[in-house]
């Protein structure tokens, strides 16, 4: 037993409209049934990060559901500043105001499409913490970097550069997502995942001491109901960041069930 509560986060990316509210209802009611069966409290923790346009409406929808809060919401990126002249950007404070509790920062699609650097990602994570959001800081190597034998080094550098000094287990999560595994149906071997997560944990220990043993490390990249339990059972894997499979309530709930079994 790691003592770390399993966490499953769905990343909807640029998918979803208000009609997706029915999917959120299905996820929330499925989680509520599971929470009732398990008794309150320490089951798997779950969140969905929809497009920012949906956070307020989905938040209101979840608040209207009877029963305990079983599903949190998050953003997919945030600007380092709280407000100002940054056309098209969204701040952590705004995400929080809309009903988010989490925010993904440094996803490889942001690093690639928007040329986000480690320093910018760290500033985003710091802004999230200031706003009272929990950042999910993403790191991961490309296929060329893995083939060159540089995966551990690349991820180590991203981790060092993107993680704020203020990171503590209660508020910060790290997600390892190899770029070549995202949306491809390919995953690293269990050994490769275990080695990477072990290395991330070691680096966090060097920087944060004992706190590192409480920090949750997620794996992301082609997690599906069929492979989730094996991945989540690995030492130092505390849950998953789920893209494609989070868009369907049945798949997302099956992955939450896999996390519960891997507990
Ligand atoms: P995937 O995406 O599950 O569709 O591979 C994961 C992610 O990008 O967070």
């Amino acid at each position: 037993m790691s003592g770390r509560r399993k966490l499953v986060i769905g990343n909807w990316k640029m998918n979803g409209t208000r009609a997706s509210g029915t999917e959120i209802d299905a996820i929330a009611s499925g989680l509520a049934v599971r929470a009732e069966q398990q008794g309150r409290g320490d089951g798997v923790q779950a969140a969905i990060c929809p497009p920012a346009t949906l956070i307020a409406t989905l938040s209101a929808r979840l608040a209207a559901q009877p029963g305990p809060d079983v599903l949190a919401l998050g953003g997919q990126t945030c600007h380092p500043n709280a407000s100002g002249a940054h056309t098209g950007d969204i701040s952590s404070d705004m995400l929080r105001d809309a009903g988010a509790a989490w925010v993904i920062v440094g996803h490889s699609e942001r690093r690639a499409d928007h040329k986000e650097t480690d320093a910018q990602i760290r500033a985003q994570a710091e802004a999230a913490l200031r706003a009272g959001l929990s950042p999910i800081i993403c790191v991961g190597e490309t296929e060329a970097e893995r083939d060159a034998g540089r995966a551990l080094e690349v991820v180590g550098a991203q981790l060092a550069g993107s993680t704020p000094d203020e990171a503590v287990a209660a508020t910060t999560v790290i997600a390892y997502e190899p770029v070549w595994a995202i949306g491809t149906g390919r995953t690293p071997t269990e050994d490769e995942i275990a080695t990477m997560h072990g290395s991330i944990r070691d680096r966090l220990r060097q920087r944060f001491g004992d706190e590192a043993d409480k920090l949750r490390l997620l794996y992301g990249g082609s997690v599906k109901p069929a492979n989730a339990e094996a991945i989540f059972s690995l030492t130092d894997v505390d849950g998953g960041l789920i893209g494609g499979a989070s868009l369907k309530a049945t798949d997302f709930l099956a992955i939450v069930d896999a996390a519960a079994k891997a507990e």
Side-chain angles (χ1 to χ4, degrees):
M1 281 303 281
S2 69
R4 297 182 295 266
R5 188 178 174 195
K6 286 277 195 278
L7 173 64
V8 177
I9 307 241
N11 172 13
W12 278 11
K13 310 191 178 186
M14 198 170 72
N15 297 293
T17 59
R18 281 180 295 169
S20 319
T22 52
E23 218 61 38
I24 283 288
D25 291 347
I27 292 173
S29 52
L31 292 172
V33 169
R34 286 158 175 79
E36 215 162 277
Q37 284 164 354
Q38 287 161 4
R40 292 219 45 146
D42 51 3
V44 176
Q45 193 178 5
I48 292 285
C49 301
T53 48
L54 291 180
I55 293 174
T57 172
L58 295 183
S59 171
R61 203 163 173 133
L62 287 170
Q65 288 225 346
D69 284 348
V70 285
L71 183 64
L73 295 171
Q76 299 176 6
T77 184
C78 63
H79 193 277
N81 294 358
S83 62
H86 303 286
T87 303
D89 279 311
I90 294 174
S91 74
S92 283
D93 301 69
M94 292 168 177
L95 292 172
R96 171 98 198 232
D97 178 59
W102 297 89
V103 60
I104 299 168
V105 298
H107 190 281
S108 61
E109 287 150 18
R110 300 290 310 175
R111 290 179 185 263
D113 295 353
H114 298 271
K115 307 283 174 285
E116 289 183 1
T117 64
D118 289 334
Q120 286 167 336
I121 292 157
R122 179 182 180 138
Q124 292 169 9
E126 286 167 353
L129 291 170
R130 276 197 303 275
L133 293 183
S134 295
I136 302 145
I137 302 168
C138 300
V139 293
E141 82 286 356
T142 63
E143 185 158 32
E145 288 163 343
R146 176 159 288 271
D147 288 348
R150 296 183 54 230
L152 294 175
E153 172 205 333
V154 166
V155 167
Q158 289 177 346
L159 184 72
S162 311
T163 310
D165 289 334
E166 299 77 19
V168 287
T171 53
T172 305
V173 168
I174 307 292
Y176 167 58
E177 298 203 305
V179 178
W180 52 274
I182 293 176
T184 59
R186 295 167 57 205
T187 55
T189 64
E190 288 171 20
D191 269 2
E192 285 168 336
I193 298 174
T195 301
M196 181 61 79
H197 278 242
S199 156
I200 292 173
R201 179 92 57 208
D202 280 347
R203 286 174 191 270
L204 291 171
R205 267 194 208 110
Q206 281 162 28
R207 182 161 167 200
F208 296 107
D210 291 347
E211 187 68 14
D213 289 304
K214 298 189 217 135
L215 267 155
R216 288 181 292 181
L217 310 184
L218 307 184
Y219 169 79
S222 296
V223 176
K224 305 274 182 276
N227 62 15
E229 189 182 344
I231 295 173
F232 297 165
S233 298
L234 298 169
T235 314
D236 290 315
V237 178
D238 305 309
L241 181 54
I242 320 298
S246 71
L247 293 168
K248 271 183 56 194
T250 44
D251 284 351
F252 186 75
L253 289 168
I255 291 171
V256 168
D257 288 341
K261 283 199 210 139
E263 220 64 83

